Amino acid sequence: ALNLAGLFSFKYFAFFITSLNVVFPDLKLPVPEVHLPIGISFFTFHAISYLVDVYRGDFPAERKPISVLLYIAMFPQLIAGPIVRFGTVRKEIHERVVTVQKFALGLKFFILGLGQKVLIANTLAVPVDAIYKIAPENLDAPLAWLAAIGYGLQIYFDFAGYSNMAIGLGLMIGFRFPVNFNAPYRAASITDFWRRWHISLSTWLRDYLYLPLGGNRKGRVRTYVNLALVMLLGGLWHGAAWTFLVWGAWHGLWLIVE
């Protein structure tokens, strides 16, 4: 609760006040200007997963605070993932070995990710952003499709590129982080897509939210409610805006349909 309170105050409080002012215009509540700490969503989820895993008895609580601080504030994946579980890196936090082979593999991952981010994502962003700035009445169907497909590729190579850079940096300093993307646009369904896209987030939401809510073990209606709630919160996790909630609801709807 304390971890989520910090996340809410920094990331969602201003959005909450703004939404209240829209629904109740007479309130005219002042909207605070809050500067968002970099990576707060990621290190909050790291802290929560550590607490829950210790509570569940997956591993004993760490006796050295520096070990927990290292896990929560580990720089390679702090800003954009992947979301790493403490159990994944616990052994390496206490004792790790850096080898030439591991460093070389990490360098390959980093170069691959850097190429995906800088050469592909950033290049695609130029025409995509330009098309999205065109007024809707001046936009024809082929150009709109070009922007939609271009943005789909841009966001994938941006996000997957950063994840690969983080995995590479981790290998260079002796840590093995989980793969975060597995060819998501080759998915055969929305369910399959979420097994391939931002894998560390979807598995986090599954293990710490969907399954504790009952998963699919408490009847069909409860399963639908759980899916909708998880995807709504997953959408909100990506950003404090109604568009993210709509996006989460849309994915939740298709998961329910499937």
Side-chain angles (χ1 to χ4, degrees):
L2 288 173
N3 278 292
L4 288 174
L7 181 63
F8 176 81
S9 63
F10 279 107
K11 190 171 182 178
Y12 300 105
F13 185 63
F15 166 64
F16 178 72
I17 296 297
T18 303
S19 299
L20 277 180
N21 286 336
V22 171
V23 177
F24 306 104
D26 295 335
L27 286 177
K28 296 179 181 178
L29 297 171
V31 180
E33 291 187 15
V34 181
H35 297 283
L36 191 66
I38 292 176
I40 186 170
S41 298
F42 287 93
F43 63 71
T44 299
F45 272 33
H46 284 156
I48 290 172
S49 68
Y50 171 80
L51 288 171
V52 173
D53 288 349
V54 169
Y55 174 79
R56 288 173 175 171
D58 293 344
F59 44 77
E62 284 294 312
R63 293 299 182 189
K64 296 181 179 179
I66 192 70
S67 298
V68 181
L69 292 172
L70 172 60
Y71 161 65
I72 293 174
M74 199 180 297
F75 81 93
Q77 37 70 51
L78 183 63
I79 298 173
I83 301 170
V84 178
R85 312 282 181 89
F86 186 79
T88 305
V89 294
R90 179 170 174 258
K91 183 179 178 181
E92 291 162 344
I93 282 176
H94 293 291
E95 184 179 348
R96 62 189 174 278
V97 178
V98 178
T99 65
V100 173
Q101 291 80 8
K102 195 181 290 185
F103 190 91
L105 181 60
L107 199 59
K108 289 179 182 178
F109 265 99
F110 186 85
I111 293 170
L112 172 65
L114 188 65
Q116 289 175 317
K117 173 71 175 76
V118 176
L119 299 179
I120 302 178
N122 289 7
T123 302
L124 283 169
V126 176
V128 168
D129 289 348
I131 297 172
Y132 269 96
K133 288 177 183 177
I134 298 173
E137 60 270 17
N138 299 326
L139 193 64
D140 58 22
L143 204 57
W145 273 109
L146 182 66
I149 294 169
Y151 180 70
L153 293 171
Q154 176 199 340
I155 195 172
Y156 168 68
F157 284 112
D158 186 286
F159 203 172
Y162 190 96
S163 292
N164 282 329
M165 284 191 281
I167 290 168
L169 286 170
L171 284 167
M172 289 183 205
I173 57 177
F175 291 95
R176 287 189 177 273
F177 299 151
V179 172
N180 209 24
F181 289 86
N182 179 23
Y185 291 151
R186 291 172 56 190
S189 65
I190 299 294
T191 306
D192 188 32
F193 174 82
W194 279 106
R195 293 192 183 110
R196 295 167 175 265
W197 177 279
H198 201 350
I199 298 168
S200 62
L201 174 65
S202 56
T203 54
W204 196 100
L205 291 172
R206 179 196 68 197
D207 295 344
Y208 298 104
L209 189 58
Y210 179 69
L211 292 178
L213 285 171
N216 61 357
R217 303 186 304 275
K218 297 189 176 182
R220 184 178 296 177
V221 174
R222 182 67 179 271
T223 299
Y224 296 161
V225 171
N226 291 343
L227 282 171
L229 183 60
V230 167
M231 292 313 299
L232 275 173
L233 292 173
L236 196 60
W237 181 86
H238 282 84
W242 285 103
T243 47
F244 286 109
L245 275 170
V246 171
W247 175 82
W250 180 248
H251 276 265
L253 173 64
W254 282 107
L255 288 172
I256 290 168
V257 169
E258 288 182 359

